[in-house]
Amino acid sequence: MSPWICGIVMVAAIWAAKWGADQMVEPLKKVRRQWGITQVAGASLLAILTASPEVGISTVSAIRNSGDIGLGTLLGSNIIAIPLIMTVAYAASRKKFGGSGSDEDRKELERKHQKHLQEHLLSLSKRAATVLALPYIGIIAIVALLTMPPDWRGLQPIDGWIILGVFFLFLAQALWRGRKEGEDVKWSKKQIKLAALGAGALIAGAYFTVTAAENVISAIGISQIIGGIFITGTLSTAPEVFKTWKIVGSGQTTAGSTSVIGDKAITLSLGLVPLALVTTPINDFQLFWINLIFVTLMPVAFSIMVLKNKHSGLKLWNVLLLDGLLLLYFFIILKWVLNLF
């Protein structure tokens, strides 16, 4: 099959997987309200769905013995997502918020928004760093400990069980911190059917993403892990850009931007489990440790800036710093790993 056709199939499959995840978002929001989970903590619950396409790609690549595609996808999306989403969120926060609710609520939102515009600030809750980003950094440290030492290098089944336990610990601490009283919610048959249809689209999208990626990578003549980092890792992040623009543009700056932190924490924990269970070696250790360094730098920089800023959130120079880290990553990979110039 032509690599161009495979490329189109891959893009369509990734969007199908994202669409499938979207259909399960509303039911999960109702669960959050029913259980009395705060918005920041609830971002980790919603992140299970936003991360599910990457986890699905990882699972299918493990089943098809193409583990490097899954590993590259997880690493690439974890590096690209935070600076990309924060940049889009900052840009979306520069325009007039849509919002909903009473006239008084909209006026208060607009008053705060004007202040943030003058301060060149993307307003975020500090809890996004303490509840999501700092535990995410802990997950990265555990992944490094399990995969980088010479005697343990790679992903083995025992690593998968450990990482699965870490995933449940992350989810539990996020969901239980700051719980409040639950609400009564109503469920419709339509929502349940759409959620079931979404699950099917998610599975099918992940399968065709991997099979199409295998053909594209083979036609281009690059390694599977490079293809995972730069092709499927990038494409799997793209639909989140539109969602971030829409949600932040409605005035929900924290909910629209910080769910990416929970998304990446779940991607790097739950996403590694299927690769570990089938045993995935690290074939290019230099590429792996460079990627892991930048996977770590993104949430570390985010946490420091959010917690240290006088006003809760990211200033314009903070967003540009994250973008600079991403450009530095691309330069290092292209020059010293791929030797392209």
Side-chain angles (χ1 to χ4, degrees):
M1 186 182 293
S2 165
W4 289 104
I5 296 176
C6 289
I8 294 171
V9 170
M10 181 169 57
V11 172
I14 288 174
W15 278 89
K18 289 291 187 183
W19 178 87
D22 288 345
Q23 304 317 302
M24 295 182 281
V25 167
E26 280 304 318
L28 208 56
K29 283 183 179 178
K30 287 191 173 184
V31 170
R32 179 181 70 79
R33 290 167 51 202
Q34 197 169 28
W35 290 357
I37 300 169
T38 59
Q39 282 197 29
V40 173
S44 63
L45 190 63
L46 293 175
I48 295 176
L49 297 182
T50 57
S52 54
E54 288 96 327
V55 175
I57 291 170
S58 173
T59 302
V60 173
S61 68
I63 294 171
R64 291 182 57 83
N65 197 29
S66 301
D68 276 355
I69 292 179
L71 183 59
T73 300
L74 300 181
L75 293 173
S77 66
N78 274 55
I79 293 170
I80 294 167
I82 292 178
L84 180 61
I85 294 303
M86 294 305 159
T87 301
V88 172
Y90 183 87
S93 71
R94 300 303 90 187
K95 65 188 186 73
K96 184 176 181 179
F97 287 154
S100 60
S102 66
D103 290 340
E104 186 177 339
D105 289 340
R106 285 197 296 269
K107 287 179 180 178
E108 177 64 15
L109 177 65
E110 185 59 29
R111 185 189 65 78
K112 290 180 179 178
H113 184 220
Q114 287 300 320
K115 183 180 179 182
H116 296 154
L117 286 176
Q118 293 170 4
E119 296 170 345
H120 304 287
L121 179 74
L122 169 64
S123 177
L124 301 172
S125 168
K126 289 186 184 293
R127 288 179 61 81
T130 57
V131 175
L132 298 175
L134 295 182
Y136 172 36
I137 295 168
I139 289 173
I140 298 170
I142 293 170
V143 169
L145 180 63
L146 292 174
T147 57
M148 294 188 68
D151 294 340
W152 304 346
R153 191 161 296 165
L155 289 162
Q156 290 86 33
I158 184 62
D159 300 331
W161 295 114
I162 293 172
I163 293 170
L164 185 62
V166 170
F167 159 72
F168 282 118
L169 284 175
F170 167 79
L171 193 61
Q173 67 83 29
L175 294 181
W176 284 97
R177 287 166 71 179
R179 282 197 66 191
K180 57 184 181 181
E181 188 176 348
E183 304 174 20
D184 291 328
V185 297
K186 294 181 180 180
W187 295 86
S188 69
K189 290 183 179 180
K190 181 181 178 181
Q191 279 188 334
I192 295 172
K193 288 178 180 178
L194 277 174
L197 184 61
L202 178 60
I203 294 169
Y207 175 80
F208 284 108
T209 297
V210 174
T211 53
E214 288 173 350
N215 288 303
V216 171
I217 290 167
S218 176
I220 297 174
I222 59 176
S223 68
Q224 287 191 342
I225 191 166
I226 288 293
I229 291 170
F230 288 101
I231 299 176
T232 54
T234 302
L235 290 175
S236 64
T237 305
E240 289 302 308
V241 169
F242 300 100
K243 186 182 297 182
T244 298
W245 182 268
K246 181 178 179 181
I247 296 175
V248 172
S250 71
Q252 303 175 74
T253 53
T254 295
S257 55
T258 58
S259 62
V260 70
I261 308 292
D263 180 318
K264 296 306 116 185
I266 290 171
T267 295
L268 202 65
S269 53
L270 192 59
L272 287 176
V273 172
L275 297 175
L277 294 180
V278 299
T279 305
T280 301
I282 295 175
N283 297 314
D284 189 334
F285 184 63
Q286 181 194 38
L287 181 63
F288 180 78
W289 68 256
I290 290 174
N291 274 271
L292 206 57
I293 285 174
F294 278 91
V295 166
T296 308
L297 281 175
M298 296 305 178
V300 167
F302 173 86
S303 299
I304 291 173
M305 291 185 293
V306 169
L307 292 173
K308 291 295 183 180
N309 277 344
K310 179 181 178 181
H311 302 290
S312 183
L314 294 177
K315 304 281 273 187
L316 175 59
W317 74 266
N318 299 145
V319 176
L320 293 177
L321 178 60
L322 290 173
D323 292 336
L325 287 175
L326 182 59
L327 293 175
L328 177 63
Y329 164 74
F330 285 139
F331 177 79
I332 290 173
I333 294 297
L334 295 175
K335 182 172 178 61
W336 283 295
V337 177
L338 298 182
N339 298 312
L340 293 184
F341 56 87

